[in-house]
Amino acid sequence: MENDTQSNTPGGVKDVAAPYYRIKTKPLLISEKDAQYNSSRIGDFYFTHSIAIDPETDYVYVCNWANDRIQVFNEYLQLVFSFCEEVHCPVGICISLGRVYLTQNKVDSLTAYSTEGRFIRSVGKIQGVEFNNFYPRGIAVSEIQKCVYTCDYWNNRVLCFNLNLLLQSSIDDITHPKDIDL
């Protein structure tokens, strides 16, 4: 993959600066124009929030917030598949160790999927452990610690879950954290 804004960090993690990502032949633009284009057709964008790249396949996963789905594209910007089972306004996405982790603000949840889009587990307000006043936003995975970190915006903390989404610990007194990067 080619990317004008990509840098390799220790451990081979790809750092991609949105909103411009060059995939082999042409750019994938996620911009204000995309947000104004109201389309629910598969492959179109409408209020996109985040992107992540699967290090195994180099597929690009796009959070399509307004259409309640994740769309997956190959390196040539061809739609490979999309999934929407238990996806409700996704805002944050991270891919690690064969799983896709999402934060969703419509249902205030943290959800795990396989990289093929199969629902695995959720914490929050859908099919999972209920957290009162849980407002997850940014998300990151530490492969070394085998933890999923998410910003709990209104509760002023960062929560640490194991890879099965069981709460392990929290870092408190962080004023309205929106995003996290490890």
Side-chain angles (χ1 to χ4, degrees), residues 42-45 60-62 64 69-73 81-82:
I42 299 294
D44 286 346
F45 300 120
V60 179
Y61 289 66
V62 179
N64 195 332
R69 67 179 172 223
I70 302 301
Q71 297 190 102
V72 183
F73 298 88
F81 65 95
S82 68

Side-chain angles (χ1 to χ4, degrees), residues 9-130:
T9 57
V13 177
K14 293 178 181 176
D15 179 23
V16 178
Y20 177 77
Y21 180 78
R22 181 168 294 287
I23 304 175
K24 293 260 188 202
T25 58
K26 58 185 175 178
L28 168 63
L29 296 175
I30 299 175
S31 66
E32 213 171 298
K33 180 181 154 212
D34 295 321
Q36 296 167 358
Y37 181 66
N38 183 355
S39 175
S40 60
R41 293 180 303 184
I42 299 294
D44 286 346
F45 300 120
Y46 186 43
F47 285 111
T48 56
H49 268 262
S50 301
I51 65 170
I53 300 169
D54 183 346
E56 300 294 318
T57 62
D58 284 337
Y59 285 174
V60 179
Y61 289 66
V62 179
C63 290
N64 195 332
W65 183 85
N67 289 320
D68 295 330
R69 67 179 172 223
I70 302 301
Q71 297 190 102
V72 183
F73 298 88
N74 67 16
E75 57 202 30
Y76 300 103
L77 291 185
Q78 297 165 327
L79 181 69
V80 178
F81 65 95
S82 68
F83 61 93
C84 58
E85 180 187 358
E86 299 299 338
V87 176
H88 307 281
C89 298
V91 292
I93 187 168
C94 190
I95 301 171
S96 183
L97 302 170
R99 287 194 177 175
V100 177
Y101 295 95
L102 294 180
T103 55
Q104 305 177 76
N105 70 0
K106 187 175 187 178
V107 291
D108 297 326
S109 68
L110 170 62
T111 309
Y113 297 86
S114 70
T115 53
E116 296 82 28
R118 185 179 45 82
F119 175 82
I120 296 172
R121 180 173 163 76
S122 181
V123 292
K125 294 182 182 174
I126 59 169
Q127 286 192 12
V129 177
E130 181 73 36

